[in-house]
């Protein structure tokens, strides 16, 4: 496939979209220009806005409305259904400001990992997580406004087109790797454990390690949903702390959801549930002013979770484990849940940890394929790694 989809509001970005199409044609690529404007019919495009809008669950009338905010949101919903259904998408470039970017990004996130995706946007120089999410989207700063071509925008747009052409037409060297992929979650305070797991698994599996920073957990879930990962060792669930306590690294309510939907072999634990993650100390909400903190560095402040918070997390996790119908082992490290949750370390709090373990045990419903395992070890102890590997062998091969 060599068809590039070019997405934008053609009533305001026609000149730029046409220019990008010309750059791609010079590479021998086909293009389809998709209009996501909601104000007027551009006429010259390959896919008019009304055709995209018809993909909305409530039909085009729900998209082509006078209220711009509602129209942009509805067009995003329609495009998210339209784009993945096209069978010839080799790559995508979207152009826009905040509105066009927010409309195009969900559809691009819905495409498989590996399909080249570029957004040239006036909001690209900032926090772009809300647009990129767990996808491999390249955000390129437009520098000047996308309000007609000029000497700067020509260079930026040509760079975007050339980058897409290179990604589509260039070869990806084959690693010849036939090992099944296993997803692992890791944080700095669980690195010892996960590093040993990677070493132990690498002969037979391809370990894919995801940094539990919110988007890492989202990426893990996405790849499980798409079938790119065949089993999970989800050792580090710290993103649940941030979801429930308002930290900065939440992966959202769907954390652990992919294992429920796919029935994938699953081994999990409670790594790094002793910490809520914030930015610099001044970013910590005032309601937490009297709590125990550990400043990991100038940009990262960790807050120790309490027994009550751990109880909430234990219930939350157990409820999701109970919905998993595939082979499941969940392993509790009663000697501590992180590298700084040991005797003499700043977050060592056996009472808080015990509340977590007790809550999981109280709510967890055992089944022939779903078992809870308790150990006396810290999450980073070698003995705990060995227990995880035993459990992994069981979910993969029975036992």
């Amino acid at each position: 496939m060599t068809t590039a989809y070019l997405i934008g509001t053609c009533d305001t970005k026609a000149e730029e979209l046409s220019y990008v199409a010309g750059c791609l044609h010079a590479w021998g690529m086909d293009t389809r220009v998709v209009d996501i404007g909601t104000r007027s019919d551009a006429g010259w495009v390959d896919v008019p806005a009304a055709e995209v809008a018809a993909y909305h669950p409530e039909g085009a009338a729900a998209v082509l409305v006078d209220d711009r905010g509602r129209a942009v949101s509805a067009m995003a919903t329609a495009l998210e259904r339209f784009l993945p259904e096209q069978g010839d998408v080799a790559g995508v470039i979207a152009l826009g400001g905040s509105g066009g970017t927010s409309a195009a990004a969900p559809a691009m996130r819905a495409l498989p990992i590996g399909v080249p995706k570029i957004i040239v946007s006036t909001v690209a120089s900032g926090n772009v997580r809300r647009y990129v999410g767990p996808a491999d989207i390249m955000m390129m700063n437009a520098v000047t406004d996308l309000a007609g071509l000029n000497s700067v925008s020509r260079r930026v747009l040509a760079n975007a087109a050339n980058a897409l052409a290179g990604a589509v037409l260039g070869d990806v060297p084959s690693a010849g790797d036939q090992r099944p992929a296993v997803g692992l979650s890791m944080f700095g305070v669980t690195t010892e454990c996960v590093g040993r797991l990677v070493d132990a698994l690498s002969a037979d599996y391809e370990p894919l390690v995801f940094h539990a920073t919110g988007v890492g957990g989202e990426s893990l879930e996405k790849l499980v949903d798409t079938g790119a990962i065949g089993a999970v060792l989800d050792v580090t669930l710290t993103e649940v702390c941030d979801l429930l306590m308002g930290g900065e690294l939440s992966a959202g309510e769907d954390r652990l959801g992919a294992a429920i939907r796919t029935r994938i072999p699953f081994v999990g634990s409670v790594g790094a549930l002793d910490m809520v993650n914030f930015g610099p100390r001044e970013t910590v909400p005032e309601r937490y002013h009297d709590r125990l903190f550990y400043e990991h560095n100038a940009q990262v402040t960790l807050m120790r979770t309490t027994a009550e918070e751990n109880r909430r997390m234990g219930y939350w996790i157990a409820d999701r484990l109970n919905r998993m119908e595939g082979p499941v082992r969940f392993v509790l490290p009663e000697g501590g849940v992180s590298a700084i949750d040991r005797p003499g370390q700043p977050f060592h709090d056996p009472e808080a940890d015990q509340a977590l373990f007790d809550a999981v045990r109280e709510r967890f419903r055992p089944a022939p394929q779903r078992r809870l395992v308790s150990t006396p070890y810290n999450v980073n102890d070698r003995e705990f790694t060995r227990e995880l590997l035993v459990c992994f062998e069981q979910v993969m091969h029975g036992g």
Side-chain angles (χ1 to χ4, degrees), residues 329 368-369 371 393-395 397-399:
R329 299 292 184 276
Q369 288 285 88
R371 303 178 194 170
E393 180 69 17
Q394 291 172 355
V395 299
H397 303 294

Side-chain angles (χ1 to χ4, degrees), residues 36-38 49 52-56 58-67 70-72 74-78:
I36 57 170
T38 58
V52 178
Y55 279 75
H56 193 279
E58 299 176 16
V63 180
L64 305 176
V65 296
D66 290 335
D67 185 304
R70 285 176 52 207
V72 170
M75 180 60 82
T77 299

Side-chain angles (χ1 to χ4, degrees), residues 282-315:
E282 61 270 18
T283 68
V284 177
E286 176 61 27
R287 67 182 183 275
Y288 293 136
H289 73 278
D290 59 346
R291 297 287 294 276
L292 173 62
F293 296 101
Y294 178 77
E295 294 191 20
H296 182 64
N297 57 50
Q299 301 302 317
V300 177
T301 304
L302 310 177
M303 181 180 76
R304 208 329 172 170
T305 51
T306 65
E308 178 55 34
E309 290 166 346
N310 282 356
R311 192 171 295 108
R312 288 175 56 200
M313 290 190 291
Y315 291 151

Side-chain angles (χ1 to χ4, degrees), residues 7 52 60 80 108 130 134 145 148 168 198 208 264 267 295 298 309 319 337 361 392:
I7 299 171
V52 178
E80 188 175 2
M108 296 169 78
R130 67 177 71 98
D145 201 356
V168 171
V198 168
L208 305 182
I264 195 171
V267 176
E295 294 191 20
E309 290 166 346
D319 286 343
V337 301
R361 291 191 187 97
F392 184 75

Side-chain angles (χ1 to χ4, degrees), residues 67-281:
D67 185 304
R68 184 176 184 276
R70 285 176 52 207
V72 170
S73 178
M75 180 60 82
T77 299
L79 185 66
E80 188 175 2
R81 293 163 63 97
F82 164 83
L83 192 60
E85 291 191 17
Q86 309 310 301
D88 60 344
V89 181
V92 184
I93 293 180
L95 312 180
S98 60
T101 302
S102 64
M108 296 169 78
R109 291 197 300 268
L111 294 175
I113 299 292
V115 176
K117 315 165 188 70
I118 300 175
I119 301 178
V120 183
S121 174
T122 57
V123 296
S125 184
N127 184 349
V128 297
R129 180 181 172 185
R130 67 177 71 98
Y131 306 115
V132 176
D136 54 340
I137 295 174
M138 178 192 303
M139 294 286 291
M140 183 177 289
N141 184 18
V143 183
T144 64
D145 201 356
L146 295 169
L149 293 174
N150 56 59
S151 59
V152 173
S153 64
R154 283 188 178 89
R155 182 71 267 176
V156 171
L157 294 172
N159 286 346
N162 293 338
L164 189 79
V168 171
L169 301 175
D171 291 329
V172 178
S174 174
D177 196 341
Q178 301 301 313
R179 295 173 299 167
V182 177
L184 302 96
S185 55
M186 186 174 79
F187 216 43
V189 292
T190 61
T191 298
E192 289 182 66
C193 173
V194 178
R196 284 194 295 267
L197 290 172
V198 168
D199 291 342
L201 294 170
S202 292
D204 300 311
Y205 299 93
E206 181 186 20
L208 305 182
V209 179
F210 297 85
H211 199 186
T213 56
V215 70
E218 291 177 2
S219 298
L220 172 59
E221 301 289 332
K222 180 180 177 70
L223 287 173
V224 170
D225 270 330
T226 62
I229 288 176
V232 173
L233 269 159
D234 210 346
V235 177
T236 311
L237 294 180
T238 190
E239 291 152 323
V240 177
C241 298
D242 292 51
L243 169 67
L244 298 184
M245 268 60 78
E248 296 191 354
L249 303 183
S250 169
E253 288 280 354
D254 193 45
R255 193 68 173 88
L256 303 179
I260 296 170
R261 291 185 289 273
T262 63
R263 302 182 180 183
I264 195 171
F266 178 92
V267 176
S269 188
V270 291
L273 284 184
D274 55 337
M275 56 190 64
V276 183
N277 302 274
F278 295 104
R281 184 63 178 269

